């Protein structure tokens, strides 16, 4: 098995995770019931073709997963696309790729905490959103501080619970369909001629991909993987494939049973209750409550837990290379976790979450920004595969190292173009700030460099 010492680093994090741990981590990060929380938005934007939006999202993410798997084999280190672009292309590009995906990794815990806190507040309004948010942040920070093995154990339990809730919904939905309660044709969720255009589908996919974000988080645990790097890549592909099947099946069933379809398409789902309304239509008020509470716990605890872990590892990797403040690279000697990075993620999540909770569409704005950061970084990832393998290594594995990355790049470009204008504007500003920071580093004589590149 490759070691990080050959790349100029010391092994500081504990290697304790196997293939199953990594795959479960990825599934939890993606959340098997993730569509519950954004179903209404995807339904509205896709004109009811929710399942098709998820299929297109899968295509985009599948090629990205293949590129991740290739780069994980070459560079089995923490840092995700920051490491892969930096090693595959060059340190300055790695910094910009890491800066882009920071928009995803740093903000996604805030988004998850916010959505969950709003859901819990709807059940217990006496406790304000900010208080729920703070409670989720403190709980997850304590669990992550206790070590990656504790995180892995809890994610296994949460995965079983989420799959149980999903199974209950699918059984109830299947019974409702068998009783003739379908609100539309059997294939409408995958194709509706009157509402189909590629711009509609790609715009919906740009929202749906939020559910897929997380498989890439597996790559941040490379230095805690006890098996070979090839298994790391396979765990990403496996987690993505399993999640995709679950997403398509549950959204297909839900789309067939969605009441008030025309109103939802025309007016959207500002309250975020479309899926829970559908669950009530399918099985009664108890099913609506069950799916809503499950969403709150899955997003606010399980998903946020692994999101915080992944983000802290990215900050740790960039801090270790001194491309972010070096104090982020501090590892707790007892629990062998990046303690300062974990605390910084918690603080950012709390501040951003509370701030966005007072905005009218804070959750929607965060969703767009998270997706923009991820898609932009994934574009660089595909380029890194081609540069590293085809140009530098003279690889002749044309499918894995050229054709697949090019297709993945093209699909992602189409998705990014169809994202919201606000996300493109703010995301562009974020990237511009990264370029300025990089320029300042050059001006001060601190050209970004990775350990093996230092002369």
């Amino acid at each position: 098995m490759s070691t990080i010492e050959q790349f100029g680093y010391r092994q500081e994090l504990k290697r304790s995770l196997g293939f199953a741990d990594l795959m479960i981590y990825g599934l939890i990060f993606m959340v098997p019931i993730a569509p519950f929380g954004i179903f209404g938005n995807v339904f509205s934007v896709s004109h009811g073709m929710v399942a098709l939006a998820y299929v297109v999202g899968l295509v985009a993410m599948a090629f990205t997963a293949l590129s991740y798997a290739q780069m994980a084999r070459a560079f089995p280190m923490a840092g995700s696309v920051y490491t892969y672009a930096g090693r595959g292309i060059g340190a300055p590009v790695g910094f910009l790729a890491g800066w882009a995906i920071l928009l995803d990794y740093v903000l996604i815990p805030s988004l998850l905490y916010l959505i969950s806190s709003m859901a819990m507040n709807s059940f217990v309004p006496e406790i304000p959103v900010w208080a729920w948010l703070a409670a989720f942040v403190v709980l997850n920070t304590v669990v992550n501080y206790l070590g990656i093995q504790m995180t892995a154990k809890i994610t296994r339990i949460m995965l079983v619970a989420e799959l149980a809730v999903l199974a209950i919904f699918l059984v109830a939905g299947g019974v409702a369909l068998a009783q003739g309660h379908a609100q539309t044709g059997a294939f409408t969720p995958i194709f509706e001629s009157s509402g189909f255009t590629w711009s509609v589908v790609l715009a919906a996919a740009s929202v749906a991909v939020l559910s897929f974000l997380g498989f890439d988080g597996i790559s941040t645990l490379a230095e805690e993987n006890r098996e070979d790097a090839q298994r790391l890549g396979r765990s990403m592909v496996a987690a993505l494939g399993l999640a995709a099947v679950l997403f398509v099946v549950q959204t297909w069933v839900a789309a067939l049973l969605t009441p008030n379809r025309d109103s939802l398409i025309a007016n959207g789902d500002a309250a975020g209750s479309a899926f829970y309304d559908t669950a009530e239509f399918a099985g009664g008020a108890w099913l609506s409550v069950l799916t809503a509470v499950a969403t709150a716990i899955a997003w606010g605890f399980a998903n946020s837990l692994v999101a915080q872990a992944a983000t802290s590892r990215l900050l740790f990797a960039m801090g270790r290379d001194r491309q972010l403040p070096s104090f982020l690279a501090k590892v707790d000697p007892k629990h062998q976790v990046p303690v300062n990075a974990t605390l910084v993620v918690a603080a950012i999540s709390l501040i951003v979450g509370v701030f966005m909770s007072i905005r009218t569409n804070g959750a929607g704005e965060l969703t767009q920004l998270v997706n923009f950061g991820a898609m932009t970084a994934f574009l660089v990832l595909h380029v890194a595969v081609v540069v590293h393998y085809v140009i530098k290594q003279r690889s002749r594995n044309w499918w894995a190292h050229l054709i697949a990355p090019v297709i993945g790049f093209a699909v992602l470009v189409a998705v990014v173009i169809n994202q919201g204008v606000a996300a493109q504007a703010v995301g562009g500003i974020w990237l511009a700030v990264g370029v300025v920071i990089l320029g300042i580093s050059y001006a001060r004589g601190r050209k970004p460099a990775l350990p093996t590149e230092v002369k």
Side-chain angles (χ1 to χ4, degrees):
M1 181 172 66
S2 299
T3 62
I4 65 171
E5 284 80 4
Q6 69 190 74
F7 296 101
Y9 300 115
R10 290 188 300 111
Q11 180 67 48
E12 297 181 271
L13 304 181
K14 186 175 182 179
R15 288 193 179 276
S16 59
L17 303 180
F19 175 85
D21 296 313
L22 294 169
M23 186 177 68
I24 290 171
Y25 175 92
L27 282 172
I28 283 291
F29 204 154
M30 286 183 280
V31 185
I33 58 174
F36 287 14
I38 60 174
F39 175 80
N41 287 333
V42 181
F43 189 100
S44 177
V45 177
S46 68
H47 294 188
M49 294 176 284
V50 190
L52 178 59
Y54 275 95
V55 170
V56 174
L58 169 63
V59 172
M61 294 299 97
F63 286 104
T64 300
L66 292 176
S67 288
Y68 261 108
Q70 293 302 315
M71 296 307 284
R73 293 177 62 184
F75 308 110
M77 295 171 284
S80 186
V81 70
Y82 154 71
T83 294
Y84 303 150
R87 298 280 175 177
I89 303 176
V93 178
F95 170 80
L96 291 176
W99 183 260
I101 208 165
L102 273 177
L103 194 61
D104 165 17
Y105 277 37
V106 170
L107 293 183
I108 199 167
S110 302
L111 171 62
L112 299 172
Y113 288 132
L114 177 57
I115 290 176
S116 301
S117 300
M118 292 171 65
M120 294 304 294
N121 175 256
S122 68
F123 290 109
V124 189
E126 293 79 12
I127 301 179
V129 172
W130 67 265
W132 281 113
L133 198 148
F136 280 129
V137 170
V138 171
L139 174 62
N140 283 347
T141 301
V142 170
V143 173
N144 271 317
Y145 174 72
L146 292 177
I148 195 65
Q149 285 181 301
M150 175 64 74
T151 302
K153 291 177 182 177
I154 290 178
T155 55
R156 286 177 181 268
I157 297 172
M158 295 304 301
L159 178 62
V160 172
E162 289 178 36
L163 292 176
V165 172
L166 177 56
I168 292 172
F169 169 76
L170 291 177
V171 169
V175 171
L177 291 174
Q179 294 175 343
H181 296 312
Q183 301 296 293
T184 187
F187 294 100
T188 301
I190 199 72
F191 182 76
E192 172 59 54
S193 59
S194 62
F196 178 86
T197 66
W198 277 112
S199 61
V200 165
V201 174
L202 289 170
S206 73
V207 179
V209 291
L210 176 66
S211 300
F212 290 108
L213 299 185
F215 77 90
D216 57 300
I218 294 175
S219 66
T220 66
L221 302 180
E223 293 176 34
E224 289 149 289
N225 169 38
R226 67 170 182 263
E227 300 176 351
D228 62 79
Q230 189 171 0
R231 300 277 283 181
L232 181 80
R234 288 177 179 173
S235 69
M236 283 189 271
V237 175
L240 180 66
L242 288 173
V245 171
L246 297 176
F247 293 164
V248 171
V249 169
Q250 66 190 272
T251 55
W252 199 313
V253 172
L256 292 177
L257 293 167
T258 300
N260 304 315
R261 296 172 54 83
D262 293 339
S263 175
L264 183 58
I265 292 173
N267 302 318
D269 182 31
S273 62
F275 191 93
Y276 317 128
D277 294 339
T278 298
E280 182 172 3
F281 177 79
W286 68 271
L287 187 57
S288 175
V289 173
L290 175 65
T291 53
V293 171
T295 300
I297 296 175
W299 287 52
F301 179 51
N303 195 7
S304 300
L305 180 67
V306 294
Q308 185 183 47
T311 305
S312 66
R313 270 63 177 179
L314 175 61
L315 295 179
F316 163 78
M318 296 185 74
R320 180 173 61 184
D321 291 336
R322 297 185 180 278
Q323 297 198 28
L324 286 178
S326 59
F327 83 94
L328 293 170
K330 178 179 174 55
V331 174
D332 182 85
K334 179 179 179 180
H335 299 291
Q336 292 181 277
V337 296
V339 58
N340 287 350
T342 298
L343 295 175
V344 166
V345 174
I348 293 174
S349 299
L350 182 61
I351 294 170
V352 174
V354 171
F355 173 74
M356 297 305 285
S357 70
I358 63 177
R359 294 182 62 84
T360 303
N361 187 34
E365 293 172 353
L366 277 176
T367 298
Q368 291 185 5
L369 290 174
V370 164
N371 287 350
F372 181 90
M375 297 303 103
T376 303
F378 293 166
L379 287 171
V380 180
L381 171 72
H382 289 303
V383 175
V385 173
V386 176
V387 172
H388 175 70
Y389 281 104
V390 177
I391 297 177
K392 292 184 177 181
Q393 302 295 320
R394 304 297 182 184
S395 170
R396 291 301 176 262
N397 185 348
W398 300 118
W399 166 252
H401 299 153
L402 181 62
I403 298 174
V406 169
I407 294 175
F409 185 94
V411 174
L412 287 178
V413 167
V415 171
V416 170
I417 289 175
N418 284 276
Q419 281 187 308
V421 175
Q424 294 173 346
V426 176
I429 293 173
W430 175 263
L431 293 178
V433 171
V435 172
V436 170
I437 293 175
L438 184 62
I440 292 174
S441 296
Y442 270 93
R444 297 176 61 183
R446 292 187 58 194
K447 176 182 177 182
L450 301 174
T452 54
E453 297 177 347
V454 175
K455 303 300 182 181

